[in-house]
Amino acid sequence: MTTNNRHSSSFRDPSGYIFQDQGVIKRAILPLYFKQYEALNASGLFQKLQSAGLLIPHEEVANSNSEIIIQPEQLSFMTYPYEWSFMQYKEAALLTLKIQKFAVEHGFSLKDASAFNVTFHKGRMLFIDTLSFDFYEEGQPWRAYKQFIMHFFGPLLLAKYTGADALKLMSTYLDGIPVDMLAAMLPFKTKLNPFLYTNIHLLAKFENKYSEDYDNTSKVRKLSKRAMLNMIEGLYDYIKKMKLENASEWGNYYDKTNYEDAAFKKKSDIINTWIKNLNVKTLIDVGGNDGTFVRKIDTTLEEALVCDIDNNAVDANYVQLRRSKETNMLPFMLDVLNPSAAIGFNNKERDAFLTRISSYAPDMTMALAVIHHMSLSGNIPFEMSAEFFASFSKHLIIEFPKRNDSWVQRLLNTKGEFKAHFDFYSISNFETAYAQYFDTIEILEIEGSERVMYLLKTKDD
Amino acid sequence: MIHFLYFDPGLGALILQAIAAAIAGVVLFSKNLMFKIKSFLGLVKQDDDVFDDINVKDSDIESNASSDDKQ
């Protein structure tokens, strides 16, 4: 009845599928999964995981012989694994293991361990694939173990040893990073650690060795429940302690910039007044660092999306929101020069960043100390950045550092003899270009700095 | 058991788990032993304040369930 609206990412699992019903996301459960679904309800597993805030809450809205329909809590903005910072990725991995342990203790087991089963929602990672549970049979190994390594442990290890950018590989390998590739990419010292040797290198060897063996499954030995739980706990403990090897401590970024305290205060006062006057409830801060300026907004926001290209900044934001238990802050990684594309089968499994942010349509976009990076490092003409910022929200607060700003000078000096090619970077050219897409509401200079704040509104067509 | 329809778990990965579990058992055992020695000597560091441990505590389930009731 509703298959026409089946979500284009929902085809892997034959237990059911996600569809859209008048703008509301729902999940259909097929008869194949009825037994599991009833048992999960009867055992209280759903209810317990939901009360503990680990699994997305849902309610049953229809029940027939051919289909059960449940309606999950709606997600405001979906982020994908390749948009998470290292710490967020860690939390998603730990959540999956925690749920697997709890499930096994209650007679169930996760039948898959895809990183796409998790998303960031209301200040924490949340498991969103309600149909991932199957019956646990004592003695059975964890069928999703290899998938867990490919989706979680492998990418985290690559990030640990080569840098957080390795997590972006997940946008190419939607089914997880191949184990032989993981084994080849990790440094030799990982072979000397017995834990990493078995979970990565030996796994790659075994997978290779048995890849031609299509019918003989008798070699699979039974794995006791205790042994499986040891394996899960071992992974949990290791991942929990993981740190990036080359991560610089996130110092106070704003101490390093050329802000006087007074100018900093002035800037946040301007933002505050504008946000209040326009009664902003949702916003996106593009290049929002660790969320400093969003936290200085003293009106209550329903939600603030804060993205940055720097893993350290997003990690710092994440740690802060976890410690103070904020639920309206949604941090994620974004390279504004190359936002996530639409990928997967038919290019429709995972939506592009622009598609998601356009349908989210935040009341306000903030772009503070970003335009000089876009224009001078990314060579994006003002017309193009204006078009970008005008495409997803009605209002824009944008900060323009003038040519004399020390950061602008630094960027210009890196251009050497081609410095003259960047003469276009001037406040008048900026204003002319942005006037094609925006009407100006207010312009304020930040005293004590070389920077100007603009409050703009998109032109009504 | 319906997951057989779904994706290939990897035969090698299934066989490997006995070894992975044994190694993890040794690691956990020595970790617990070290913890006992360290706490005996008063060297236990404060726990991670961002990520909690693997067990879902009853208090997590109950406190949230009761606060839901109030809404």
Side-chain angles (χ1 to χ4, degrees):
Chain A
M1 71 181 193
T2 37
T3 36
N4 291 341
N5 296 325
R6 179 192 277 245
H7 193 276
S8 47
S9 72
S10 191
F11 57 82
R12 286 187 165 78
D13 184 355
S15 313
Y17 58 89
I18 292 272
F19 64 97
Q20 226 181 21
D21 181 14
Q22 295 166 351
V24 180
I25 294 286
K26 294 181 181 175
R27 192 185 280 279
I29 301 168
L30 299 172
L32 181 69
Y33 197 74
F34 280 3
K35 243 169 91 179
Q36 282 83 348
Y37 177 75
E38 302 301 341
L40 285 157
N41 275 331
S43 70
L45 189 82
F46 275 159
Q47 191 267 324
K48 283 176 192 163
L49 288 173
Q50 287 165 346
S51 304
L54 307 178
L55 174 68
I56 190 160
H58 69 257
E59 56 183 58
E60 193 178 296
V61 290
N63 192 329
S64 73
N65 286 336
S66 58
E67 220 176 29
I68 298 172
I69 309 287
I70 58 174
Q71 184 176 323
E73 185 174 317
Q74 303 293 297
L75 299 167
S76 57
F77 184 81
M78 184 81 179
T79 54
Y80 298 125
Y82 42 84
E83 294 168 327
W84 300 337
S85 71
F86 181 71
M87 294 288 262
Q88 288 179 299
Y89 214 106
K90 259 177 76 164
E91 192 197 347
L94 296 176
L95 172 72
T96 305
L97 293 170
K98 184 183 260 206
I99 290 177
Q100 170 64 1
K101 181 175 186 224
F102 194 73
V104 167
E105 287 165 347
H106 288 76
F108 296 90
S109 179
L110 286 176
K111 65 185 181 192
D112 63 345
S114 162
F116 294 94
N117 285 347
V118 180
T119 199
F120 199 78
H121 180 62
K122 291 187 179 166
R124 64 195 299 179
M125 283 292 171
L126 183 69
F127 200 82
I128 53 172
D129 187 3
T130 315
L131 310 190
S132 266
F133 301 89
D134 201 354
F135 297 117
Y136 170 64
E137 261 178 40
E138 180 89 39
Q140 279 284 322
W142 187 22
R143 293 181 62 91
Y145 165 76
K146 182 183 162 195
Q147 204 185 20
F148 182 84
I149 302 293
M150 292 169 70
H151 276 252
F152 288 109
F153 195 45
L156 281 168
L157 280 172
L158 283 179
K160 175 182 158 72
Y161 289 107
T162 70
D165 278 348
L167 298 174
K168 292 191 182 145
L169 279 173
M170 286 299 287
S171 67
T172 300
Y173 296 101
L174 289 184
D175 281 331
I177 303 177
V179 282
D180 50 353
M181 185 171 142
L182 280 172
M185 285 174 82
L186 286 170
F188 178 76
K189 61 182 170 187
T190 56
K191 288 189 180 178
L192 306 177
N193 176 326
F195 185 76
L196 298 181
Y197 181 76
T198 37
N199 283 294
I200 303 290
H201 299 285
L202 199 59
L203 173 63
K205 281 206 176 95
F206 272 47
E207 276 297 291
N208 206 12
K209 184 174 164 189
Y210 295 104
S211 61
E212 309 275 295
D213 184 352
Y214 296 114
D215 33 41
N216 187 359
T217 51
S218 60
K219 291 186 213 114
V220 179
R221 279 207 285 160
K222 283 194 182 297
L223 189 73
S224 72
K225 191 192 268 188
R226 188 61 257 167
M228 153 138 31
L229 292 178
N230 278 349
M231 191 177 78
I232 306 289
E233 274 175 58
L235 284 165
Y236 192 97
D237 287 350
Y238 188 93
I239 292 171
K240 186 178 162 182
K241 289 205 188 87
M242 277 174 93
K243 286 195 173 80
L244 293 173
E245 291 222 323
N246 54 2
S248 54
E249 254 325 282
W250 178 248
N252 193 345
Y253 163 83
Y254 296 99
D255 286 348
K256 293 179 216 147
T257 56
N258 51 356
Y259 271 110
E260 291 172 26
D261 282 352
F264 187 89
K265 171 90 173 46
K266 180 90 198 298
K267 177 168 157 183
S268 87
D269 286 347
I270 293 171
I271 295 169
N272 243 324
T273 312
W274 286 346
I275 296 273
K276 197 177 287 172
N277 290 348
L278 287 170
N279 194 23
V280 168
K281 291 292 171 211
T282 53
L283 68 78
I284 178 166
D285 188 351
V286 178
N289 273 302
D290 58 357
T292 294
F293 278 101
V294 167
R295 286 196 177 83
K296 289 204 179 296
I297 294 170
D298 54 19
T299 45
T300 311
L301 297 169
E302 269 167 33
E303 191 165 53
L305 313 184
V306 179
C307 53
D308 203 279
I309 191 174
D310 182 351
N311 180 76
N312 286 337
V314 181
D315 268 355
N317 191 0
Y318 168 81
V319 168
Q320 203 169 332
L321 79 88
R322 287 289 291 175
R323 285 190 178 141
S324 45
K325 298 192 162 50
E326 296 160 346
T327 54
N328 61 350
M329 180 77 88
L330 202 166
F332 62 99
M333 302 279 294
L334 180 83
D335 177 0
V336 75
L337 302 181
N338 182 20
S340 321
I343 54 173
F345 187 65
N346 265 328
N347 286 157
K348 280 183 176 168
E349 273 188 75
R350 314 291 169 212
D351 287 334
F353 166 74
L354 269 181
T355 311
R356 282 173 284 148
I357 196 66
S358 303
S359 78
Y360 184 85
D363 297 338
M364 175 67 79
T365 297
M366 297 208 298
L368 311 173
V370 163
I371 187 68
H372 53 312
H373 290 291
M374 289 175 80
S375 312
L376 299 177
S377 311
N379 292 14
I380 310 272
F382 287 139
E383 288 77 14
M384 285 173 73
S385 60
E387 185 186 10
F388 170 75
F389 286 124
S391 66
F392 46 83
S393 64
K394 278 253 165 293
H395 292 95
L396 171 67
I397 294 177
I398 188 164
E399 176 186 27
F400 188 85
K402 292 188 273 194
R403 278 188 86 89
N404 290 335
D405 180 85
S406 63
W407 253 109
V408 174
Q409 282 301 313
R410 225 164 95 183
L411 291 171
L412 283 171
N413 289 337
T414 60
K415 306 292 180 184
E417 58 187 298
F418 297 103
K419 204 170 166 179
H421 288 269
F422 294 87
D423 283 348
F424 75 87
Y425 190 86
S426 72
I427 201 154
S428 58
N429 285 342
F430 168 77
E431 288 183 356
T432 314
Y434 274 65
Q436 293 173 41
Y437 293 92
F438 294 97
D439 293 321
T440 306
I441 301 180
E442 198 171 5
I443 304 175
L444 290 171
E445 300 247 359
I446 306 175
E447 289 154 28
S449 79
E450 289 290 330
R451 299 182 168 202
V452 187
M453 298 286 286
Y454 290 82
L455 175 60
L456 308 175
K457 183 180 183 303
T458 49
K459 285 189 186 294
D460 299 319
D461 299 318
Chain B
M1 300 284 274
I2 56 173
H3 44 226
F4 292 93
L5 293 165
Y6 187 11
F7 67 89
D8 175 19
L11 179 56
L14 295 180
I15 295 169
L16 176 91
Q17 285 180 51
I19 305 168
I23 298 279
V26 175
V27 172
L28 287 173
F29 176 77
S30 55
K31 196 195 90 173
N32 289 337
L33 191 68
M34 280 308 288
F35 183 80
K36 275 177 193 154
I37 296 170
K38 277 186 182 166
S39 30
F40 180 72
L41 298 172
L43 295 172
V44 177
K45 278 185 275 177
Q46 226 187 3
D47 207 21
D48 193 321
D49 61 344
V50 178
F51 301 112
D52 45 12
D53 72 32
I54 191 168
N55 295 309
V56 181
K57 293 173 205 70
D58 286 345
S59 59
D60 293 344
I61 298 171
E62 283 154 17
S63 65
N64 287 319
S66 55
S67 64
D68 285 349
D69 293 343
K70 282 174 207 151
Q71 281 170 1

